[in-house]
Amino acid sequence: MLDYVRRARRSARVVRTGARIYFRYKRIQQRMRGKPQKIADAAWLNAHEQAAQELYQLTVDLKGLLIKVGQFAGTRSDIAPAPYVESLSRLQDMVPPRDLDEIQRTITTELGRGTGELFATFDETPLAAASLAQVHHATLKDGTPVAVKVQYPEVDSLVHLDLRNLRLIARAIAWREPTFDYRAIIDELARELPFEVDFVREAAMTRRVAHNLRDTPGIVVPPVVDSLVSRRVLVTRFLEGERVIGPRAQAMPPAQREELARRIAGAFGHQIMVDGLFQADPHPGNLILMPNGDVGLVDFGLTKELPRETRDGFARLVIAAAERDPAGIFAAFRELGIRTGSDDPADLMALAGVFFETRTLEGGRQEFQRQRSQALQRSPVEAIPGDLILLGRVVGLLRGVCASLGVPLSPMGMLRPYAEQALRTQAETGTAAPATG
């Protein structure tokens, strides 16, 4: 447990950093009124660079949940300013690892035996260090290669403390800037993150998703080593490969890159609309391009089950967005519980285009952000359910994959066959496709 002084210092630093960034932006907003666009753009870019570096340093120093939030922001090149993406994307691979002694103590405490008794080999250098845990490559006594995921000891305390701090900041921003209301996102994190620190549950979810995707071509979920699972340690088979948006994938011919993007979209489309159980913490580090071309899905700490109504509503939104149908988007928004400040078809299309399309806008990222801001000003999102926030993260991942691979595909277009399958099953049987596993 964190002592009172450390908790207070951590909270104070988070609040100070947030306040400093916010008031810096407000000063620039006031000073740049009436200034030439070139001067204003330079001022905003400088502010973004300062803020991005401050947030990166904050997350690296304090670790915990803040790293997870930073990693998510670092993947959103479609909506986040370039300096944020450049700075925070480093968190995917540059989270400082913990001392080996600390990791080995946790394994011994949780599994009752040390690494020397459990494994034939155990690599001291971690494969990856993340916000809540780190992963080491090892081999079992029979030579089976495995990945050993070990949770950091103070994670429980940090998660609850950081959620409280983020709630405080989100409330303050929503009060001062109603257009930027992130309270629903924080509330969803608060509901789901406790699941991520229970590796017994993660093992169960990994098995279920593997069962559900067993007949999906080109998709692999690593088997769990059932005898080596505890609340803070999880051992699975090791999947050989590299990050799916790495140099190997980018060097593929266009047709292969497009097929790869569709395969990834298919894995998530099947999980969401056919199974009703999906990996809700999608980011490039959880997608492995294996030597034979298969895609491995790893890390099921945050795995979400969707109610039938949400699955059906999202399926209808996917189809309406793919068809660019304002009436269908409006109906799906209402079915899903999304409330917007405007029902004008043009405003709804702008919102759908901002959040669910992948095509590059003329003028690049700055023009995209300008249009996004205008769309939110004309039709601010007044309410959005937590489930849809997680589904939006999947759409964001697919958009990022397409952008990284140079594939001009729409996430909603790639998801559409699975939406049609779910609705067709419902029409034929009078019920949604049953969740499996």
Side-chain angles (χ1 to χ4, degrees), residues 218-269:
I219 298 297
V220 178
V221 176
V224 174
V225 180
D226 294 328
S227 61
L228 298 178
V229 176
S230 74
R231 184 172 175 82
R232 294 198 294 157
V233 177
L234 171 61
V235 179
T236 64
R237 289 285 296 270
F238 176 72
L239 298 185
E240 186 74 40
E242 63 178 57
R243 182 180 289 193
V244 79
I245 59 173
R248 180 181 161 212
Q250 292 169 344
M252 288 178 173
Q256 290 185 21
R257 281 185 273 121
E258 180 173 324
E259 194 278 331
L260 178 61
R262 290 187 184 278
R263 187 184 313 160
I264 294 167
F268 283 97

Side-chain angles (χ1 to χ4, degrees), residues 272-273 306-319 332 335-336 419 422-426 430-433:
I272 292 167
M273 286 170 283
L306 292 175
R308 167 183 168 174
E309 295 77 11
T310 301
R311 293 161 60 190
D312 292 348
F314 184 67
R316 281 186 264 274
L317 178 59
V318 166
I319 294 172
E335 183 178 356
L336 289 165
L423 296 178
R424 185 167 55 249
T425 300
Q426 180 192 29
T431 183

Side-chain angles (χ1 to χ4, degrees), residues 10-322:
R10 184 183 184 90
S11 298
R13 184 171 175 188
V14 171
V15 172
R16 282 199 308 271
T17 301
R20 184 166 58 249
I21 291 172
Y22 172 76
F23 287 112
R24 182 187 300 132
Y25 278 131
K26 293 302 291 185
R27 286 194 299 272
I28 291 176
Q29 187 180 56
Q30 294 170 356
R31 292 173 181 172
M32 292 301 108
R33 288 174 181 164
K35 298 288 186 180
Q37 190 63 45
K38 187 175 182 180
I39 294 176
D41 287 346
W44 283 109
L45 178 61
N46 182 62
H48 291 330
E49 289 174 343
Q50 290 185 60
Q53 184 55 41
E54 289 177 25
L55 290 175
Y56 174 79
Q57 196 59 53
L58 178 76
T59 56
V60 168
D61 289 348
L62 300 187
K63 305 179 178 63
L65 175 62
L66 299 179
I67 287 184
K68 180 169 286 291
V69 175
Q71 287 173 332
F72 174 62
T75 65
R76 296 307 305 268
S77 60
D78 52 321
I79 58 176
Y84 282 85
V85 174
E86 181 179 350
S87 183
L88 297 178
S89 63
R90 291 182 289 165
L91 295 171
Q92 301 293 343
D93 299 308
M94 296 179 63
V95 177
R98 299 298 180 89
D99 289 340
L100 181 63
D101 288 345
E102 180 180 311
I103 297 301
Q104 291 179 326
R105 281 196 301 271
T106 298
I107 292 173
T108 301
T109 300
E110 291 290 309
L111 300 180
R113 289 177 290 169
T115 55
E117 296 179 76
L118 293 168
F119 307 106
T121 65
F122 186 89
D123 290 358
E124 296 184 359
T125 302
L127 292 167
S131 53
L132 309 180
Q134 67 189 46
V135 180
H136 289 255
H137 179 272
T139 56
L140 300 180
K141 295 294 187 178
D142 65 3
T144 302
V146 293
V148 184
K149 184 176 181 179
V150 184
Q151 188 180 124
Y152 302 136
E154 78 287 0
V155 157
D156 277 336
S157 297
L158 289 181
V159 164
H160 291 93
L161 177 62
D162 289 341
L163 282 171
R164 188 190 70 182
N165 293 334
L166 290 172
R167 273 196 169 116
L168 175 64
I169 293 172
R171 282 200 299 268
I173 292 175
W175 176 65
R176 293 293 300 266
E177 308 288 340
T179 301
F180 299 96
D181 189 347
Y182 299 110
R183 287 175 293 182
I185 296 176
I186 304 303
D187 289 342
E188 184 63 25
L189 283 172
R191 282 191 292 270
E192 300 299 334
L193 274 169
F195 294 141
E196 283 205 72
V197 296
D198 183 357
F199 286 1
V200 174
R201 180 184 185 275
E202 179 176 347
M205 293 297 104
T206 303
R207 296 186 197 100
R208 288 183 61 187
V209 175
H211 176 78
N212 292 345
L213 296 178
R214 66 193 182 281
D215 296 325
T216 304
I219 298 297
V220 178
V221 176
V224 174
V225 180
D226 294 328
S227 61
L228 298 178
V229 176
S230 74
R231 184 172 175 82
R232 294 198 294 157
V233 177
L234 171 61
V235 179
T236 64
R237 289 285 296 270
F238 176 72
L239 298 185
E240 186 74 40
E242 63 178 57
R243 182 180 289 193
V244 79
I245 59 173
R248 180 181 161 212
Q250 292 169 344
M252 288 178 173
Q256 290 185 21
R257 281 185 273 121
E258 180 173 324
E259 194 278 331
L260 178 61
R262 290 187 184 278
R263 187 184 313 160
I264 294 167
F268 283 97
H270 197 288
Q271 289 178 71
I272 292 167
M273 286 170 283
V274 178
D275 303 325
L277 179 75
F278 75 103
Q279 184 189 46
D281 184 25
H283 61 77
N286 289 341
L287 300 172
I288 307 298
L289 181 59
M290 301 173 67
N292 65 354
D294 287 349
V295 174
L297 305 185
V298 299
D299 191 354
F300 294 89
L302 182 52
T303 305
K304 179 73 174 178
E305 293 193 71
L306 292 175
R308 167 183 168 174
E309 295 77 11
T310 301
R311 293 161 60 190
D312 292 348
F314 184 67
R316 281 186 264 274
L317 178 59
V318 166
I319 294 172

